[in-house]
Amino acid sequence: MSYVPPHKRRSKEPVRPCPVPESVSRKFTRNLNLDGRQNTSGQGRKVIYAKDCILKWFLVGSDGIEDEISPSVKLVPVSSDYSEWNWRDGRKPWVLVNNDAGEKDAEIGETVVRTPWLSVAEKVEDDIFMAFGQVKNGMDHPALEEVTPRLVARFGKILLNGHPSFSSESLKGGLVAESTSRESKKSFCTNVPTSYMESIKDAAVLKLGCCMEKKDIYCVILSDKTHPDSTISCKCTVKEDKRLVMHRVELNALRHCVADVSCLNQNIDMRLMVYSKRILTALTENEICNIRKLVDSAVVDPNVKGGLRWPLGEAVSGDRYSVCGVWHVINTVYRSSTFRLKVREVDRFDFRAGTGGAAREVILVLKGISQKLEEGGEVERSSVSDMLKDALKMIWDHFLSADPYFM
């Protein structure tokens, strides 16, 4: 057999393309444009915490705050039905489940007056007063002419994103106190089941009695190169000609107090939060023009995530603003003299990450307490305390349900 030079030999291996250098691959992925969206360098909408933000996490059973974890409380992985929460590290988050909640309730019966809401009120009352005081002391920002503190309750499930060795045994010995440790990161999932939303509409709203209105809102989230640590949200509605109408411009909310409550005898958890709503009202004519240019160039498209897209090259305005996200919110709002209930469906898209998702959310704005704490002069502590207890009792009676959730 005659000799064949190496460069003329035929390999039995399948022909493969030359590998693409990693730097080129990253650049290609970054510049890839799908469904007409412009990838931008701006940050997605951020969660901003005040410098002295108060963070708490505690567990509540049928008769109040749980100082020790019951052996019946276990950690179980989130159901595959909620695979959208299996983020980042590829592992499913965990949730707390009380296996004998029903048996414990049966043992308690009617011999004990169960007032878990009183325990929660005592636990968070000082923090709420302190958080509102922080907002009042920080209202001298020159670019902000309207800062409104709010107390809200959100409903969902506390997710524990832990170390591979993370188990129910690690609950003992102060996991709650160490809730910010790297090995037990915690998040609050606000995406509730359809059954829960319907029960809120059919039961809670009918019993409480309030006026209803429906809103269809688009939030265009912008990054500002001059303020890289913040994002700007433009609240818009749609005209008959499918163009957006901008109503107000806000900075991302600033959180002052977050208290997460694991409700061991329910399958719904609660988050109590004090945050400041920051509406920008001192923008220059040039700033308004650049922001409005981005809003006006948006194209309403129900076939894309978030419901909006931008023509090629029009997701950037000048050398300062760029679109980094969009929310489409269908909001059903129930109002009374003391609270505002939002039952909403949200479709989000993050331009920076190139990802999006839909969620169903229930938010209760405790309007009466917020207004009382905003009043000038000395606030009567006892009246606010009574209002907080009444509000939490209402939440326990109407918003914390034992319907299946994350099982």
Side-chain angles (χ1 to χ4, degrees):
M1 183 174 181
S2 60
Y3 173 76
V4 179
H7 67 282
K8 290 187 177 182
R9 294 174 188 173
R10 292 187 178 182
S11 174
K12 294 181 180 180
E13 295 294 326
V15 178
R16 294 184 176 90
C18 295
V20 179
E22 186 179 358
S23 59
V24 176
S25 177
R26 285 199 303 266
K27 185 175 181 181
F28 172 79
T29 303
R30 186 168 61 246
N31 291 324
L32 184 63
N33 183 23
L34 301 176
D35 65 318
R37 298 181 185 277
Q38 295 298 307
N39 291 310
T40 69
S41 59
Q43 297 288 324
R45 188 171 188 177
K46 295 182 178 180
V47 175
I48 306 296
Y49 292 88
K51 181 180 178 181
D52 300 319
C53 183
I54 303 163
L55 299 175
K56 281 190 174 180
W57 173 29
F58 50 92
L59 284 63
V60 179
S62 296
D63 50 357
I65 304 295
E66 297 277 349
D67 294 323
E68 295 184 1
I69 306 299
S70 168
S72 64
V73 177
K74 305 294 182 183
L75 276 169
V76 298
V78 170
S79 166
S80 58
D81 294 339
Y82 293 88
S83 58
E84 64 267 26
W85 294 99
N86 304 343
W87 303 326
R88 300 180 183 117
D89 58 1
R91 294 192 301 270
K92 288 185 177 182
W94 301 70
V95 292
L96 290 171
V97 173
N98 189 3
N99 291 332
D100 64 355
E103 295 178 10
K104 186 175 181 181
D105 283 347
E107 293 174 2
I108 293 175
E110 296 182 357
T111 59
V112 178
V113 178
R114 295 177 295 170
T115 55
W117 56 88
L118 293 180
S119 299
V120 175
E122 292 170 0
K123 192 82 171 178
V124 301
E125 182 180 314
D126 289 341
D127 300 325
I128 291 173
F129 270 87
M130 188 179 299
F132 269 82
Q134 291 175 0
V135 178
K136 289 180 180 180
N137 294 334
M139 295 179 71
D140 56 351
H141 195 293
L144 302 176
E145 292 188 2
E146 186 175 339
V147 178
T148 306
R150 288 183 175 177
L151 172 63
V152 301
R154 304 197 70 175
F155 307 96
K157 199 66 181 176
I158 294 172
L159 305 182
L160 306 174
N161 305 281
H163 191 269
S165 62
F166 191 47
S167 66
S168 56
E169 289 300 315
S170 63
L171 280 170
K172 300 175 182 178
L175 171 65
V176 173
E178 301 294 332
S179 61
T180 58
S181 69
R182 291 183 179 181
E183 291 189 352
S184 58
K185 292 181 180 179
K186 175 177 62 66
S187 57
F188 192 83
C189 170
T190 57
N191 187 12
V192 299
T194 303
S195 59
Y196 177 74
M197 288 185 68
E198 294 303 319
S199 70
I200 291 298
K201 291 179 181 178
D202 296 341
V205 172
L206 290 176
K207 291 179 181 179
L208 298 173
C210 46
C211 301
M212 184 193 78
E213 61 178 318
K214 203 159 188 175
K215 296 181 178 181
D216 194 337
I217 300 170
Y218 287 90
C219 299
V220 179
I221 314 300
L222 307 179
S223 64
D224 181 353
K225 287 186 178 180
T226 63
H227 297 91
D229 295 331
S230 299
T231 55
I232 295 172
S233 177
C234 306
K235 299 293 180 69
C236 309
T237 55
V238 181
K239 297 188 293 185
E240 292 182 1
D241 61 358
K242 300 299 182 181
R243 309 305 296 178
L244 295 183
V245 179
M246 187 171 69
H247 293 280
R248 65 177 181 269
V249 181
E250 303 175 359
L251 282 177
N252 40 355
L254 185 65
R255 295 183 177 184
H256 302 273
C257 176
V258 179
D260 287 335
V261 185
S262 290
C263 304
L264 298 180
N265 289 73
Q266 310 290 347
N267 285 323
I268 297 288
D269 295 328
M270 175 178 64
R271 165 172 283 183
L272 288 171
M273 182 167 62
V274 177
Y275 72 93
S276 55
K277 189 180 182 68
R278 306 184 293 169
I279 300 177
L280 288 169
T281 57
L283 293 168
T284 66
E285 186 175 343
N286 184 56
E287 289 171 336
I288 294 173
C289 181
N290 285 327
I291 292 173
R292 195 177 295 279
K293 179 182 176 183
L294 290 172
V295 171
D296 291 343
S297 60
V299 177
V300 177
D301 187 346
N303 297 316
V304 299
K305 292 179 180 179
L308 295 178
R309 59 180 174 84
W310 275 258
L312 185 64
E314 295 188 24
V316 178
S317 181
D319 59 355
R320 180 173 175 180
Y321 299 108
S322 58
V323 179
C324 62
V326 61
W327 293 16
H328 181 205
V329 184
I330 299 176
N331 213 355
T332 305
V333 183
Y334 302 87
R335 300 177 184 272
S336 77
S337 59
T338 55
F339 73 91
R340 182 166 67 254
L341 174 65
K342 298 180 181 180
V343 181
R344 68 187 192 183
E345 297 183 24
V346 188
D347 181 16
R348 300 180 176 94
F349 187 81
D350 185 337
F351 279 58
R352 179 182 60 86
T355 59
R360 298 169 297 271
E361 300 176 344
V362 175
I363 304 169
L364 184 67
V365 182
L366 303 178
K367 186 173 64 175
I369 298 175
S370 299
Q371 291 174 343
K372 195 76 174 177
L373 288 170
E374 280 185 82
E375 292 178 359
E378 197 69 25
V379 178
E380 187 179 347
R381 180 73 176 246
S382 61
S383 64
V384 176
S385 178
D386 291 341
M387 291 173 69
L388 179 62
K389 292 173 184 176
D390 291 341
L392 288 172
K393 183 180 186 304
M394 180 196 70
I395 288 171
W396 244 261
D397 290 343
H398 300 292
F399 289 87
L400 296 183
S401 158
D403 289 342
Y405 192 170
F406 283 104
M407 300 297 288

